[in-house]
């Protein structure tokens, strides 16, 4: 990718960070920014890897997940364009505690964390940006822990559908079909339930005319009722 195109990607997709950088810091970012294209279901980094880059999802969809007991997988967070990830472990001085994988063909950009740290030492505004991001992610994680451990199956799956709706939206042609096509296993892993329970509960939602399911496509028919169910214990 030629330099002018890289600069265009950075200024458009890293706008939040770009706005707080000095001219010299912008030059360093441009010189060290690289673009990577991943096919669907490709691992970006794995649990136990050394954190070396700040990743930014430019287009596509990414899931962060962790392998659990008995080969169970828990999806921790969904990444949408344009969001940053992959930096917490570096700041903590740890290896990656989770993995990241594409959910569809995706384009990502990355910057070496050593450069990010160098800029952070002089740029208070950038430091505050990361403090804000980490604080929001921590709060969301606390809420998710409570929801996944205290809600019943129906509430967990309804909440997952609302998270998918709020994160990725709907297809433009009908404004009802979720703009992400997850397999039943991923739905289960995101909801902290077995695949069988996810299939059965989703089928029940269909019988209740809350959703229409067509393969991996899910059309939301009654958003208010699903949100009500998602708030139930």
């Amino acid at each position: 990718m030629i330099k002018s195109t890289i600069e265009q990607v950075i200024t458009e997709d890293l706008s939040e960070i770009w706005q707080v950088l000095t001219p010299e810091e912008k030059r360093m970012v441009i010189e060290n920014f690289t673009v990577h294209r991943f096919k669907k279901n490709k691992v970006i980094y794995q649990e136990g890897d050394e954190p070396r880059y700040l990743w930014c999802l430019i287009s596509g969809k990414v899931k962060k997940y962790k392998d659990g007991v008995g080969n169970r997988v828990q999806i921790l967070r969904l990444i949408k364009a344009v969001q940053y990830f992959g930096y917490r472990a570096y700041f903590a001085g740890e290896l990656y505690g989770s993995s990241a994988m594409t959910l569809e063909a995706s384009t990502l950009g990355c910057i070496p964390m050593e450069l990010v740290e160098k800029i952070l030492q002089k740029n208070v505004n950038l430091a505050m940006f990361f403090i804000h991001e980490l604080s929001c992610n921590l709060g969301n994680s606390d809420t998710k822990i409570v929801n996944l451990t205290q809600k019943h199956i129906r509430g967990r799956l309804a909440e997952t559908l609302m998270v998918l709706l709020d994160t990725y939206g709907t297809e433009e042609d009908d404004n009802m079909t979720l703009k992400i096509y997850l397999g039943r296993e991923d739905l289960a892993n995101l909801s902290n339930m077995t695949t069988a329970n996810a299939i059965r509960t989703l089928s029940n939602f269909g019988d209740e005319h809350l959703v229409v399911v067509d393969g991996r496509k899910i059309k939301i028919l009654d958003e208010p009722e699903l949100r009500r169910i998602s708030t139930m214990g």
Side-chain angles (χ1 to χ4, degrees), residues 59-219:
S59 65
K61 298 176 179 68
V62 167
K63 66 178 179 182
K64 290 188 62 180
Y65 64 96
K66 188 174 181 66
D67 294 323
V69 178
N71 294 321
R72 287 285 302 276
V73 173
Q74 179 64 56
I75 296 179
L76 306 174
R77 187 154 60 99
L78 297 172
I79 309 295
K80 65 178 181 179
V82 175
Q83 286 186 323
Y84 311 93
F85 64 100
Y87 54 86
R88 187 210 62 82
Y90 181 90
F91 289 142
E94 302 171 349
L95 299 178
Y96 277 126
S98 60
S99 305
M101 176 185 289
T102 58
L103 289 166
E104 64 183 35
S106 303
T107 301
L108 296 96
C110 68
I111 308 168
M113 280 303 303
E114 290 183 354
L115 174 61
V116 175
E117 183 179 22
K118 180 179 179 180
I119 296 175
L120 280 172
Q121 291 172 351
K122 298 181 179 180
N123 191 319
V124 175
N125 290 327
L126 185 61
M128 289 303 300
F129 170 83
F130 281 107
I131 290 173
H132 177 266
E133 290 289 299
L134 288 168
S135 299
C136 289
N137 291 338
L138 179 59
N140 291 336
S141 295
D142 289 346
T143 300
K144 184 169 184 176
I145 288 173
V146 173
N147 291 340
L148 292 183
T149 55
Q150 296 188 4
K151 286 184 179 180
H152 292 299
I153 288 176
R154 282 174 59 85
R156 295 207 300 268
L157 186 60
E159 181 178 353
T160 291
L161 295 177
M162 293 301 95
V163 167
L164 295 177
L165 177 63
D166 295 339
T167 302
Y168 296 119
T170 56
E171 297 290 357
E172 296 177 0
D173 58 348
D174 67 0
N175 291 323
M176 297 174 70
T177 301
L178 293 176
K179 203 172 183 178
I180 179 172
Y181 307 136
L182 287 182
R184 301 298 182 265
E185 185 176 359
D186 275 335
L187 277 176
N189 293 339
L190 192 55
S191 308
N192 191 31
M193 62 177 68
T194 65
T195 303
N197 279 337
I199 293 172
R200 182 167 55 252
T201 306
L202 190 62
S203 178
N204 290 340
F205 284 169
D207 293 339
E208 296 167 35
H209 305 292
L210 302 176
V211 301
V212 171
V213 180
D214 180 10
R216 294 193 175 194
K217 292 183 178 182
I218 300 176
K219 180 180 291 187

Side-chain angles (χ1 to χ4, degrees), residues 14-21 29 54 84 111 126 129-130:
L14 304 183
S15 57
E16 289 184 85
I17 288 180
W18 194 252
Q19 293 173 4
V20 302
L21 299 179
V29 169
L54 167 67
Y84 311 93
I111 308 168
L126 185 61
F129 170 83
F130 281 107

